[in-house]
Amino acid sequence: MELVKHEVRQDAFVAVTGFRSELYKCLVSRSDALFELCDALLCTEGPVRTLVDLALAPEHRRGHGALYLGLNQGRMDVARLRRTLAGVPLPRARDGRLVLAVDVSPWLRPDADTCSDRSFCHTFGRGLGKHQMVPGWPYSIVAALETGRTSWTALLDAIRLEPGADLAAVTADQVREVIERLVAASQWQAGDPDVLVVLDAGYDAPRIAHLLADLPVEVLGRLRSDRVMRKSVPVPWICPPCGGRPPKHGGEFVFGRPDTWGEVAVVTATDTDRYGTATAQAWDRLHPRLTRRAAWLDHEGPLPIIEGTVIRLTVAKLPSGGVNKPVWLWWSRTGARPEDVDRCWQAFLRRFDVEHTFRFLKQTLGWTRPRLRDSGAADRWTWLVLAAHAQLRLARPLARDLRRPWERPAEPNRLTPARVRRGFRNLHAKTGTPAGAPKPTRPGPGRPPGSKNRRPATRYDVGRVLATGESYTRPAHHKKGTKPRRTG
């Protein structure tokens, strides 16, 4: 048993060391400053409050000027870093299947008028109906999910959404590139189960499934409770006496009207610890009725019929004691078996692990703390945060439980990301750093005392795109200084 543990720890140490060496090769310009910034992010005690505080860490041997120069003027080989993240060991489901979750997390910048490429980000308020649209940088992140209750995910990709971007099209392209990298890294081979992609209610799951139909991918998405789907046309079709062509769509399946549901194809009941009895009902071969508008306006040829399985999940109770409303899911496969239905809703529950990852990135690693002006610098900082999270995940078997006196002991290899980060400084002393030693320099003269800034930064409006695809510009009579000043 001790030999097995030693081999696991040795493999983990080799994985961490190899990832750090590959990460340094991905940094093209200002590589030493960027790499030491990532090390300071990993070894700093407590949550990251400000970006400049990382320059005080012993692992960051350079000054705070090099920190900002690395983010603003550094360059990264993002394509190579993406391939590196796809090549590390990834978690899998019980049947060996890869389960990917896609979600958007915003970096809110409401007061940053000098930042370009900002979009309106949807945020949830604390009260009912308190949702707001706040300017910021939305990032679409893809992560591989683990089985069981955990706060760990394997981050694979991150893309900043441009203003006016088509979320379904961007997500489909992002998932396609991730799948191609996983296939190239031998994470998926012919004969393996299809990759399951889990989406929340903000995505158009049927359209994404149609765009990814040529890949070994299954799409599972949550649907709103007010949706209306269509049943398949009964076969054989009996032509009415008045004649006419066969219809393309069957009867309506209204989520809010049980009298339209018809016969259930599959029913399963599972006893859970947190939710009581979980009952899942599945109806086969249901599809949305598409119309030639919005995303399907320029579609060539007849509109497709995207059939799938609709799953209705109900539980006996919620851990929070709230109202246990049913959850509606759409799966891109037909002919579901009872084990397929259980696998789908259990995978959807694991999607919420991404929310724990987002909270760790923002509250502990300080992903959205820096007040950067350039969106390119924000992208570089985002990739450094993802690389730091990947090192923490690889170092799980090597970490010691440096718990606080009021914290409960944790089982080996069951530490949270924050507790693994607490002991990463001890591991950092063993892995070493490929970054070179800093050279002695002198600070520049700076701006002469008493002089004013004669190059004010450009102000940008929050990115809005019209239906024609052109960017929105404020009318002339809405701009400041265009109206005559009232003197009377």
Side-chain angles (χ1 to χ4, degrees):
M1 191 67 177
E2 294 295 334
L3 181 61
V4 174
K5 291 182 179 180
H6 177 74
E7 292 180 355
V8 171
R9 292 177 60 87
Q10 186 68 22
D11 294 342
F13 184 81
V14 173
V16 173
T17 306
F19 183 85
R20 289 173 59 82
S21 301
E22 191 65 24
L23 172 62
Y24 185 76
K25 297 177 183 178
C26 297
L27 307 177
V28 180
S29 178
R30 305 275 180 176
S31 55
D32 294 339
L34 291 174
F35 192 85
E36 289 191 355
L37 176 59
C38 186
D39 282 349
L41 180 63
L42 287 168
C43 301
T44 300
E45 289 289 339
V48 177
R49 302 299 182 186
T50 59
L51 183 62
V52 71
D53 285 344
L54 297 177
L56 303 178
E59 290 76 16
H60 193 275
R61 298 173 293 178
R62 290 160 172 81
H64 63 278
L67 184 148
Y68 285 101
L69 287 177
L71 289 179
N72 294 326
Q73 301 179 8
R75 289 187 296 113
M76 303 175 62
D77 190 352
V78 179
R80 182 170 183 173
L81 183 55
R82 283 170 170 158
R83 293 192 298 268
T84 303
L85 291 175
V88 299
L90 299 179
R92 298 177 182 269
R94 293 184 178 88
D95 58 351
R97 184 190 309 268
L98 284 172
V99 181
L100 305 182
V102 187
D103 203 354
V104 175
S105 183
W107 183 342
L108 301 181
R109 300 301 307 276
D111 301 328
D113 295 336
T114 59
C115 293
S116 60
D117 302 331
R118 290 186 303 163
S119 304
F120 284 105
C121 306
H122 182 268
T123 59
F124 291 93
R126 292 186 177 274
L128 182 62
K130 297 296 183 180
H131 307 325
Q132 297 179 355
M133 302 298 291
V134 182
W137 292 316
Y139 280 86
S140 176
I141 296 180
V142 181
L145 303 179
E146 296 188 0
T147 58
R149 295 177 55 191
T150 178
S151 56
W152 287 97
T153 59
L155 300 177
L156 297 175
D157 193 20
I159 292 180
R160 178 172 47 84
L161 301 179
E162 299 291 339
D166 187 352
L167 181 59
V170 173
T171 301
D173 294 340
Q174 184 182 16
V175 173
R176 179 179 296 275
E177 294 176 359
V178 170
I179 296 298
E180 292 176 353
R181 290 194 293 269
L182 293 177
V183 173
S186 300
Q187 298 283 5
W188 186 91
Q189 300 179 358
D192 294 345
D194 292 344
V195 180
L196 180 62
V197 180
V198 186
L199 309 171
D200 205 2
Y203 292 88
D204 189 355
R207 184 185 171 205
I208 294 177
H210 175 73
L211 297 175
L212 301 177
D214 57 329
L215 295 178
V217 167
E218 300 176 2
V219 177
L220 176 67
R222 183 177 181 177
L223 301 179
R224 292 171 56 95
S225 59
D226 57 353
R227 287 289 298 268
V228 178
M229 306 291 283
R230 286 302 187 103
K231 302 177 183 178
S232 59
V233 179
V235 179
W237 167 252
I238 301 177
C239 183
C242 59
R245 65 178 184 180
K248 294 183 179 180
H249 311 282
E252 291 185 344
F253 185 95
V254 185
F255 288 4
R257 292 173 52 188
D259 57 310
T260 63
W261 296 350
E263 184 180 358
V264 182
V266 177
V267 179
T268 63
T270 307
D271 294 331
T272 62
D273 297 335
R274 295 172 56 84
Y275 304 99
T277 302
T279 305
Q281 300 171 291
W283 291 266
D284 196 22
R285 299 188 61 189
L286 296 179
H287 64 275
R289 182 175 182 177
L290 305 179
T291 56
R292 290 191 178 275
R293 61 181 181 181
W296 302 98
L297 182 62
D298 299 330
H299 182 77
E300 299 180 359
L303 295 177
I305 295 179
I306 311 173
E307 291 187 336
T309 302
V310 172
I311 302 173
R312 181 178 183 267
L313 176 64
T314 57
V315 296
K317 61 178 181 179
L318 292 179
S320 61
V323 181
N324 49 350
K325 298 180 180 179
V327 176
W328 293 90
L329 306 174
W330 185 87
W331 185 43
S332 60
R333 293 289 188 266
T334 57
R337 299 169 297 176
E339 52 269 23
D340 295 331
V341 175
D342 290 339
R343 174 172 57 85
C344 287
W345 70 260
Q346 291 173 7
F348 179 78
L349 293 184
R350 295 273 60 82
R351 191 207 68 84
F352 293 97
D353 296 340
V354 181
E355 306 296 338
H356 298 286
T357 301
F358 291 160
R359 182 175 60 181
F360 173 73
L361 298 183
K362 293 182 178 181
Q363 296 183 2
T364 304
L365 297 184
W367 172 33
T368 58
R369 287 289 183 176
R371 298 181 179 181
L372 302 175
R373 177 185 299 178
D374 184 19
S375 57
D379 293 343
R380 283 185 284 273
W381 170 249
T382 300
W383 279 109
L384 286 181
V385 172
L386 264 63
H389 185 271
Q391 296 182 57
L392 292 177
R393 191 177 64 86
L394 294 176
R396 290 170 65 184
L398 305 174
R400 296 181 58 187
D401 187 12
L402 303 179
R403 65 184 183 91
R404 302 290 188 256
W406 54 85
E407 293 178 344
R408 295 181 179 179
E411 299 178 2
N413 204 24
R414 294 289 297 177
L415 299 178
T416 61
R419 292 170 79 162
V420 172
R421 175 174 174 262
R422 199 176 294 167
F424 194 86
R425 175 168 288 174
N426 300 331
L427 179 63
H428 177 268
K430 300 178 181 179
T431 58
T433 174
K439 300 178 181 179
T441 58
R442 294 181 179 180
R447 186 188 304 169
S451 63
K452 296 183 179 180
N453 182 17
R454 302 186 182 277
R455 285 197 252 175
T458 306
R459 263 59 177 175
Y460 300 93
D461 289 332
V462 181
R464 285 176 284 184
V465 179
L466 303 177
T468 57
E470 301 176 355
S471 58
Y472 170 82
T473 56
R474 183 180 298 179
H477 62 279
H478 288 174
K479 297 180 180 179
K480 295 181 180 180
T482 58
K483 292 184 179 181
R485 188 172 183 179
R486 180 177 298 180
T487 57

